[in-house]
mmCIF file of all heavy atoms in Angstrom:
data_model
loop_
_atom_site.group_PDB
_atom_site.id
_atom_site.type_symbol
_atom_site.label_atom_id
_atom_site.label_comp_id
_atom_site.label_asym_id
_atom_site.label_seq_id
_atom_site.Cartn_x
_atom_site.Cartn_y
_atom_site.Cartn_z
ATOM 1 N N ILE K 582 9.948 29.400 -48.950
ATOM 2 C CA ILE K 582 10.325 30.653 -49.678
ATOM 3 C C ILE K 582 9.125 31.169 -50.445
ATOM 4 O O ILE K 582 8.869 32.385 -50.412
ATOM 5 C CB ILE K 582 11.512 30.382 -50.649
ATOM 6 C CG1 ILE K 582 12.848 30.102 -49.788
ATOM 7 C CG2 ILE K 582 11.756 31.529 -51.552
ATOM 8 C CD1 ILE K 582 14.022 29.554 -50.570
ATOM 9 N N ALA K 583 8.452 30.252 -51.116
ATOM 10 C CA ALA K 583 7.269 30.713 -51.848
ATOM 11 C C ALA K 583 6.206 31.214 -50.857
ATOM 12 O O ALA K 583 5.482 32.196 -51.131
ATOM 13 C CB ALA K 583 6.679 29.513 -52.583
ATOM 14 N N GLY K 584 6.113 30.539 -49.686
ATOM 15 C CA GLY K 584 5.139 31.017 -48.699
ATOM 16 C C GLY K 584 5.426 32.385 -48.158
ATOM 17 O O GLY K 584 4.515 33.230 -47.892
ATOM 18 N N GLN K 585 6.741 32.731 -48.050
ATOM 19 C CA GLN K 585 7.091 34.071 -47.580
ATOM 20 C C GLN K 585 6.636 35.173 -48.541
ATOM 21 O O GLN K 585 6.126 36.165 -48.266
ATOM 22 C CB GLN K 585 8.597 34.212 -47.428
ATOM 23 C CG GLN K 585 8.965 35.528 -46.762
ATOM 24 C CD GLN K 585 10.536 35.704 -46.647
ATOM 25 O OE1 GLN K 585 11.291 35.328 -47.580
ATOM 26 N NE2 GLN K 585 10.967 36.245 -45.511
ATOM 27 N N GLN K 586 6.729 34.786 -49.916
ATOM 28 C CA GLN K 586 6.268 35.720 -50.934
ATOM 29 C C GLN K 586 4.683 35.906 -50.883
ATOM 30 O O GLN K 586 4.230 36.998 -50.946
ATOM 31 C CB GLN K 586 6.564 35.153 -52.397
ATOM 32 C CG GLN K 586 8.085 35.188 -52.630
ATOM 33 C CD GLN K 586 8.721 36.511 -52.268
ATOM 34 O OE1 GLN K 586 8.280 37.584 -52.764
ATOM 35 N NE2 GLN K 586 9.841 36.476 -51.565
ATOM 36 N N VAL K 587 4.026 34.795 -50.511
ATOM 37 C CA VAL K 587 2.580 34.866 -50.367
ATOM 38 C C VAL K 587 2.206 35.798 -49.206
ATOM 39 O O VAL K 587 1.377 36.669 -49.207
ATOM 40 C CB VAL K 587 1.920 33.441 -50.103
ATOM 41 C CG1 VAL K 587 0.407 33.563 -49.833
ATOM 42 C CG2 VAL K 587 2.159 32.574 -51.284
ATOM 43 N N PHE K 588 3.047 35.586 -48.123
ATOM 44 C CA PHE K 588 2.810 36.349 -46.846
ATOM 45 C C PHE K 588 3.067 37.756 -47.136
ATOM 46 O O PHE K 588 2.218 38.648 -46.746
ATOM 47 C CB PHE K 588 3.768 35.834 -45.778
ATOM 48 C CG PHE K 588 3.546 36.476 -44.422
ATOM 49 C CD1 PHE K 588 2.552 36.055 -43.499
ATOM 50 C CD2 PHE K 588 4.343 37.583 -44.044
ATOM 51 C CE1 PHE K 588 2.359 36.651 -42.325
ATOM 52 C CE2 PHE K 588 4.110 38.213 -42.755
ATOM 53 C CZ PHE K 588 3.124 37.756 -41.950
ATOM 54 N N LEU K 589 4.178 38.108 -47.719
ATOM 55 C CA LEU K 589 4.515 39.519 -47.900
ATOM 56 C C LEU K 589 3.718 40.205 -48.978
ATOM 57 O O LEU K 589 3.390 41.450 -48.893
ATOM 58 C CB LEU K 589 6.003 39.715 -48.237
ATOM 59 C CG LEU K 589 6.998 39.174 -47.174
ATOM 60 C CD1 LEU K 589 8.425 39.231 -47.579
ATOM 61 C CD2 LEU K 589 6.773 39.923 -45.826
ATOM 62 N N GLY K 590 3.235 39.438 -49.993
ATOM 63 C CA GLY K 590 2.491 40.013 -51.062
ATOM 64 C C GLY K 590 0.980 40.037 -50.789
ATOM 65 O O GLY K 590 0.297 40.811 -51.470
ATOM 66 N N GLY K 591 0.577 39.266 -49.826
ATOM 67 C CA GLY K 591 -0.845 39.236 -49.496
ATOM 68 C C GLY K 591 -1.296 40.177 -48.441
ATOM 69 O O GLY K 591 -0.514 41.023 -48.008
ATOM 70 N N PRO K 592 -2.487 40.076 -47.901
ATOM 71 C CA PRO K 592 -2.988 40.942 -46.919
ATOM 72 C C PRO K 592 -2.419 40.801 -45.529
ATOM 73 O O PRO K 592 -2.468 41.647 -44.656
ATOM 74 C CB PRO K 592 -4.522 40.681 -46.901
ATOM 75 C CG PRO K 592 -4.639 39.299 -47.396
ATOM 76 C CD PRO K 592 -3.545 39.133 -48.400
ATOM 77 N N CYS K 593 -1.709 39.631 -45.270
ATOM 78 C CA CYS K 593 -1.270 39.287 -43.967
ATOM 79 C C CYS K 593 -0.342 40.388 -43.379
ATOM 80 O O CYS K 593 -0.469 40.746 -42.206
ATOM 81 C CB CYS K 593 -0.439 37.948 -44.030
ATOM 82 S SG CYS K 593 -1.245 36.677 -44.896
ATOM 83 N N SER K 594 0.511 40.942 -44.317
ATOM 84 C CA SER K 594 1.580 41.793 -43.750
ATOM 85 C C SER K 594 1.014 43.184 -43.428
ATOM 86 O O SER K 594 1.703 44.029 -42.832
ATOM 87 C CB SER K 594 2.714 41.957 -44.754
ATOM 88 O OG SER K 594 2.134 42.444 -46.032
ATOM 89 N N MET K 595 -0.208 43.420 -43.822
ATOM 90 C CA MET K 595 -0.824 44.698 -43.448
ATOM 91 C C MET K 595 -1.145 44.834 -42.007
ATOM 92 O O MET K 595 -1.091 45.913 -41.373
ATOM 93 C CB MET K 595 -2.077 44.919 -44.297
ATOM 94 C CG MET K 595 -1.979 44.616 -45.700
ATOM 95 S SD MET K 595 -2.307 45.913 -46.798
ATOM 96 C CE MET K 595 -4.111 45.896 -46.931
#
Side-chain angles (χ1 to χ4, degrees):
I582 291 170
Q585 188 183 40
Q586 292 312 309
V587 174
F588 184 85
L589 298 177
C593 314
S594 59
M595 313 240 277

